[in-house]
Amino acid sequence: MIVMMFVIGLFIVLGIILINGKGSSLIAGYNTMPPEEKEKYDTVALCKFMGKMMFALSFSMCI
């Protein structure tokens, strides 16, 4: 139970970081792309989407 609460808290913190448009280096696959490939993506929108996903995952773990 304590481990699950720790993981939920970690996901919420990561969600807050990502929803602010920061932390693109935390997204798997994005940080390993070459710079030419990264220019094709909207970094802020990608971070906000992943932040929402982190909130959804933490909420589903609570249930």
Side-chain angles (χ1 to χ4, degrees), residues 19-54:
I19 204 91
N20 289 322
K22 309 262 191 268
S24 63
S25 63
L26 299 173
I27 300 173
Y30 182 76
N31 59 350
T32 59
M33 285 182 186
E36 305 85 35
E37 194 76 21
K38 286 183 181 180
E39 291 174 0
K40 297 178 184 177
Y41 294 96
D42 184 6
T43 306
V44 175
L46 180 63
C47 287
K48 288 186 179 194
F49 172 75
M50 289 306 297
K52 291 174 188 175
M53 290 301 297
M54 294 303 274

Side-chain angles (χ1 to χ4, degrees), residues 1-12 58 61-62:
M1 185 72 168
I2 294 173
V3 173
M4 187 64 109
M5 293 304 236
F6 177 74
V7 171
I8 291 170
L10 180 66
F11 277 22
I12 290 173
S58 63
M61 279 192 255
C62 289

